[in-house]
Amino acid sequence: MTTDTGLDDTAPTERRTQAERTAGTRAKLLDAAIDCLVELGFAKTSTQEIARRAGVSRGAQLHHFPTKESLLIAAVEHLVDRRLSEILEAEPDPERGPEILADAFSGPLFHAALELWVAARTDPALHEAMIPLERRVAEAIQGGAQIVMGSRMSPESIELSVELARGLAVSALFRTPEADAQLRGRLLPIWSEKVMDS
């Protein structure tokens, strides 16, 4: 059957494979989980709200992620992979390395991860589940930082830089964007100079 436009509206639509549908559902759930963590925090994030925002049934959510913890940890892991690839796309530049690293600890990834870190302090099951993720994140960030900041830097300088970037990001929660930009403008050049001397 053809329409007024002359197009055949009975032509079959391209069907997605089961693997593509599964990946699509998982991606929707992971993105919705990050949104919830950032907007609502860990305590107010529920699997029902995540499923609602993702537009999937509760059964589909439970099929992919049987617990809240498994879903939220997978969501942060998903964002870590995306953020790490962004870091690795940056040109190696020891002079801008601290700035690139500081930027990595910002935005939805950092805020979602921070929600999980705080909750894991008093939730033994979440704490246990977070340990392998944190180990993987630390290794990935160390490797990414080494590439971005240059191979001349010692492993200790890289590690110190990662910890400093994380600390700056936590304290930034209590500064205005303007005050944070001023502080970074003062500290990052000093940081670069110090780590490059190591």
Side-chain angles (χ1 to χ4, degrees), residues 125-194:
L126 181 60
H127 185 273
E128 192 65 28
M130 286 284 291
I131 290 172
L133 173 62
E134 281 303 306
R135 190 175 299 122
R136 183 175 165 270
V137 168
E139 290 170 359
I141 289 175
Q142 291 277 346
Q146 183 74 50
I147 291 168
V148 170
M149 297 179 81
S151 58
R152 294 183 352 213
M153 292 181 62
S154 69
E156 292 79 13
S157 293
I158 297 288
E159 190 172 6
L160 180 62
S161 294
V162 168
E163 294 301 328
L164 184 56
R166 187 177 285 137
L168 271 173
V170 171
S171 65
L173 297 172
F174 301 100
R175 288 190 294 273
T176 64
E178 295 78 18
D180 189 52
Q182 288 175 353
L183 182 68
R184 285 172 53 133
R186 281 196 344 261
L187 295 183
L188 291 181
I190 298 168
W191 176 8
S192 293
E193 185 180 317
K194 296 293 184 191

Side-chain angles (χ1 to χ4, degrees), residues 41-58:
F42 179 81
K44 293 181 180 176
T45 292
S46 68
T47 52
Q48 292 90 342
E49 176 62 11
I50 292 170
R52 185 191 71 75
R53 288 184 183 213
V56 304
S57 71
R58 177 93 167 107

